[in-house]
Amino acid sequence: MVKSLKDSCLWCIAKNLHRINQVGRYLAAVNKECLIQLLAAHDMLTEDYMPHVTYNLFAHNLKRLNLHKCCQVNDNLLKQLSMSGCHLTSLVIYKCPGVTDVGICAITGGQSELVVLELNSLPITDRALCNIRSKALERLDLTQCTGITAVGVLGVIKHCSNVKSVILLGCTKIQGSLLPGIAQDLNCNLEELNLCGVHGMSDEALIGIAENCPNIRKLDLCSCREITGAGLTSVSKSRID
């Protein structure tokens, strides 16, 4: 596959942050975001290279961060990002085993413009969610974060009542007792709910979602074996696709 001119230029910059004098001054925020993602994807966030990354790419105008499958992405890196004063609208961290509650607390603290938060397959607990206070938040995805409980999720929802999408796929510590809180706090805002693998679900709780969340359009109950035909009938009447 032939790289585009833009991709080739970004790759050249990514490999030469230490050689190009003050290159960060000439890069748009979107290019800095792409470079951070590129460096993470190629395991280039080494201890020796990080000072050049921090100086040239970590900036207050960053808006979107996507960090995937990188052992070098850790709490210290997230702390440095938070110190840049960036106001993120989207934060996606997927399978970065070096990220713990400490790093997530650091990067989410003071992020009042956050719209998308996806923390997938991370070794975090409810403590990681304590600083999330964005009224703009619309998507909360905690897929395969097995240390998260209903307490942590409801804490986020209490402070971010405009959430439209809640993804809890594989969050095995979460119980069906979560549903009444979701129905009460999100109400008409909720459009998508993924409870795949959540235990302790009941028809009663599901009926509460159907009655209190009339705008829900997508519901995943895969592996929720406690649900019966009565519960499914109740949600089918609320126009779920």
Side-chain angles (χ1 to χ4, degrees):
M1 182 177 178
V2 178
K3 290 183 179 180
S4 68
L5 178 59
K6 176 183 176 181
D7 288 341
S8 297
C9 289
L10 286 175
W11 180 237
C12 180
I13 294 171
K15 294 187 295 182
N16 292 282
L17 290 175
H18 57 306
R19 292 193 178 97
I20 306 174
N21 186 39
Q22 297 184 335
V23 64
R25 291 190 176 188
Y26 309 102
L27 293 170
V30 65
N31 292 328
K32 292 181 180 181
E33 293 162 2
C34 289
L35 284 166
I36 293 170
Q37 182 176 353
L38 183 64
L39 290 166
H42 289 83
D43 295 323
M44 294 173 66
L45 299 173
T46 63
E47 184 177 350
D48 291 338
Y49 207 50
M50 271 304 299
H52 306 290
V53 175
T54 304
Y55 179 75
N56 288 294
L57 304 183
F58 288 8
H60 71 279
N61 56 352
L62 296 177
K63 291 295 182 182
R64 291 168 292 275
L65 289 176
N66 290 274
L67 304 169
H68 293 246
K69 295 183 178 181
C70 182
C71 294
Q72 296 167 342
V73 174
N74 54 31
D75 293 341
N76 186 53
L77 182 145
L78 295 181
K79 286 179 182 179
Q80 292 182 66
L81 273 168
S82 70
M83 291 172 63
S84 72
C86 56
H87 298 285
L88 302 175
T89 59
S90 177
L91 175 63
V92 179
I93 305 178
Y94 172 67
K95 283 190 176 181
C96 295
V99 173
T100 72
D101 296 346
V102 175
I104 298 300
C105 282
I107 191 60
T108 56
Q111 297 292 348
S112 60
E113 300 173 17
L114 201 59
V115 178
V116 174
L117 179 62
E118 298 184 8
L119 306 174
N120 297 171
S121 301
L122 301 180
I124 58 175
T125 69
D126 293 341
R127 290 189 292 274
L129 309 179
C130 64
N131 283 343
I132 301 170
R133 300 284 192 277
S134 174
K135 293 296 183 182
L137 190 66
E138 295 184 0
R139 181 175 176 84
L140 176 65
D141 185 342
L142 300 172
T143 295
Q144 296 292 340
C145 289
T146 55
I148 298 295
T149 71
V151 174
V153 177
L154 291 176
V156 174
I157 290 172
K158 285 285 186 183
H159 294 98
C160 309
S161 56
N162 292 312
V163 172
K164 296 179 180 180
S165 177
V166 178
I167 311 298
L168 303 173
L169 170 66
C171 295
T172 53
K173 283 191 176 181
I174 291 178
Q175 301 292 317
S177 57
L178 171 77
L179 289 189
I182 288 181
Q184 178 181 348
D185 293 329
L186 296 185
N187 204 269
C188 295
N189 289 323
L190 189 63
E191 296 178 1
E192 179 182 10
L193 181 61
N194 187 319
L195 299 169
C196 182
V198 172
H199 301 296
M201 292 288 297
S202 67
D203 289 343
E204 182 180 2
L206 194 57
I207 290 170
I209 286 287
E211 292 177 347
N212 292 285
C213 304
N215 293 321
I216 192 167
R217 292 293 177 268
K218 189 173 182 180
L219 179 62
D220 192 331
L221 298 171
C222 180
S223 299
C224 296
R225 296 181 176 86
E226 299 90 344
I227 299 298
T228 71
L232 294 175
T233 299
S234 71
V235 295
S236 67
K237 294 178 181 178
S238 62
R239 304 190 306 277
I240 295 178
D241 294 337

